[in-house]
Amino acid sequence: MNKIHPLASVHPNAKLGDNVEIGPYAFVDEFVEIGDGCRILPHATIFNYVKMGKNCSVFPGAVIGAIPQDLKFDGEVTYVEIGDNVNIRECATINRGTKASGKGVTKVGSNTLIMSYVHIAHDCCVGEHCILVSYTGIAGETTVEDWAILGGGTLSHQFSKIGKHAMVGGGSKVNKDVPPYILCGRDPLSYAGVNIVGLRRRGFSPDQIRGIKDMYDIIYNAGFNFSDACTKIEAGFPQSEERDAILDFIRNSKRGIVRGMTSNSKGEME
């Protein structure tokens, strides 16, 4: 049985699952699907063309499905898709996609935490088990892969890509792609080692972590350019999910990956 406050505004055509709670002054538009067990808290707004999975929470002031802040948008029908068990905290904003991008959908994967005042722009794809800390803003068509963490106040350039299990230090400006499994921070954004603590917490074995570290030593510390480093890794390391993820990410990067720390880098990792 759903629990809809009499002061909520819910379009009669909106599709609600079971045990959905909608608080006072929340707004749910016509072409919206909300899965079982979701909580739409007071003053949250869900505009048209949003599909939300099960057991999500949308906190006061959050706005999901507003039209994209993109001059190429021409009123076309585009979407936001939210997975299961997603928490969207106070005043976060998630915009719809654009057809001009060739995607037309903005996605947030299951078990992801979107903290307060985060902005997810048109056609972004945020993976599963991610954390976007307060005041982070990711520009249009940014990709954030599974298990990545973006520290508070991170700003990501349009078309950027953050690899899986990567962690970006708070206040960073992401203008290059961030490969999987690494820590990065400082200004300009630089490689700062492997995300060892995060990988241990997620069940990576000591051998897996050592292999990842050895590969990144070749990429960043052995004096090779990135192309030659990838060739050396492919020849010198046995096939594994981690090796393939690193090689595929670097070889397919369109913006280029973050550089190693230089003498011009400043600041400390949080």
Side-chain angles (χ1 to χ4, degrees):
M1 181 178 179
N2 293 329
K3 185 178 179 181
I4 301 175
H5 195 280
L7 293 177
S9 177
V10 180
H11 196 283
N13 292 338
K15 297 180 180 178
L16 306 182
D18 296 328
N19 301 312
V20 172
E21 177 184 338
I22 302 179
Y25 304 105
F27 175 82
V28 178
D29 219 332
E30 179 176 7
F31 302 108
V32 171
E33 297 182 32
I34 298 176
D36 299 347
C38 287
R39 299 169 64 233
I40 313 302
L41 298 177
H43 297 280
T45 299
I46 304 179
F47 286 120
N48 277 325
Y49 309 117
V50 172
K51 183 176 182 179
M52 184 179 298
K54 298 177 181 179
N55 302 314
C56 297
S57 294
V58 183
F59 280 71
V63 180
I64 305 174
I67 62 172
Q69 299 169 62
D70 181 355
L71 296 177
K72 299 185 296 297
F73 181 71
D74 196 30
E76 64 268 23
V77 174
T78 55
Y79 302 92
V80 170
E81 295 180 0
I82 309 290
D84 299 332
N85 308 308
V86 175
N87 275 306
I88 301 168
R89 294 303 303 255
E90 296 83 355
C91 300
T93 54
I94 304 175
N95 288 170
R96 282 163 46 193
T98 64
K99 286 291 178 64
S101 73
K103 299 176 182 177
V105 60
T106 303
K107 295 183 178 181
V108 177
S110 296
N111 304 298
T112 284
L113 172 58
I114 308 298
M115 291 192 189
S116 56
Y117 296 93
V118 166
H119 176 63
I120 299 175
H122 66 89
D123 302 289
C124 288
C125 183
V126 178
E128 298 185 354
H129 301 280
C130 293
I131 300 175
L132 276 59
V133 181
S134 298
Y135 301 101
T136 288
I138 59 174
E141 301 185 59
T142 295
T143 298
V144 182
E145 295 186 340
D146 296 350
W147 294 100
I149 298 175
L150 277 58
T154 296
L155 301 176
S156 177
H157 194 284
Q158 193 173 20
F159 303 111
S160 296
K161 188 173 182 180
I162 293 95
K164 61 184 179 180
H165 298 279
M167 184 173 183
V168 180
S172 296
K173 294 175 285 188
V174 179
N175 54 13
K176 294 286 187 180
D177 293 343
V178 177
Y181 312 116
I182 74 165
L183 300 171
C184 64
R186 305 179 174 90
D187 183 17
L189 189 68
S190 307
Y191 169 76
V194 171
N195 185 14
I196 294 173
V197 174
L199 296 177
R200 285 174 178 163
R201 288 173 176 171
R202 294 160 199 157
F204 282 71
S205 70
D207 286 343
Q208 287 175 299
I209 294 171
R210 188 177 303 111
I212 292 168
K213 184 180 183 303
D214 289 345
M215 285 185 272
Y216 277 113
D217 281 343
I218 292 172
I219 292 167
Y220 282 110
N221 301 325
F224 297 104
N225 64 41
F226 292 145
S227 178
D228 288 346
C230 287
T231 299
K232 187 171 181 64
I233 289 169
E234 190 168 43
F237 287 79
Q239 189 278 331
S240 67
E241 180 180 344
E242 296 78 38
R243 189 200 73 165
D244 291 350
I246 292 168
L247 294 178
D248 289 347
F249 189 99
I250 294 173
R251 287 171 168 168
N252 292 315
S253 172
K254 296 179 179 178
R255 296 189 56 79
I257 65 170
V258 296
R259 294 285 171 174
M261 186 173 60
T262 69
S263 60
N264 292 324
S265 297
K266 58 187 178 179
E268 299 293 336
M269 289 291 294
E270 295 294 334

